[in-house]
Amino acid sequence: MKKSEVPQDKSNLESANFRELCYAVDENGEYTTENSTGWDPKTIALDNAIQDIKERIDAAKKRVEANESSPIDYYMEVNKMDLPILASYVGLWQWRVKRHFKPQVFKKLNTKILQKYADVFDITIEQLQDIDKNI
């Protein structure tokens, strides 16, 4: 794209006074960089992704409140993780982490395991055990 064609649409970047660096071709036909305030299709895609993340967090919170899942499920969503990533961060097998999603198993976890999760989520054990203390 030519330097003059770099999109300058309204986006979250513009409202935060940020610019995105893009590559464009200048009048001599050479690649150069140009700042962009945003591009509508990209803004829409990012807004949709953020909305999906919020919905996943809300669903996880409802599962925890209904005692269908442990707070680990909620904090995993809040921190935008999936099971393999969380398991690698806490240093446990995936099947063990998934098992810790069960409220009855979570309640029996020892302090050492709880502290591993709390460290990964950058919260206290108390916050890990009660999601309402984090809000």
Side-chain angles (χ1 to χ4, degrees), residues 48-61 63:
N48 288 342
I50 290 169
Q51 184 60 38
D52 287 346
I53 290 168
K54 287 179 181 177
E55 288 171 7
R56 289 178 62 151
I57 291 170
D58 290 341
K61 185 174 183 180
R63 286 192 301 272

Side-chain angles (χ1 to χ4, degrees), residues 5 10 19 21-23 28 33-34 63 69-70 87 91 102-103 105 121 128 133 135:
E5 296 172 348
K10 295 213 179 280
R19 302 285 183 261
L21 189 63
C22 298
Y23 289 97
N28 298 327
T33 57
E34 179 69 22
R63 286 192 301 272
S69 188
S70 78
K102 296 178 182 178
V105 174
F121 298 137
L128 177 64
K133 291 185 180 179
I135 298 172

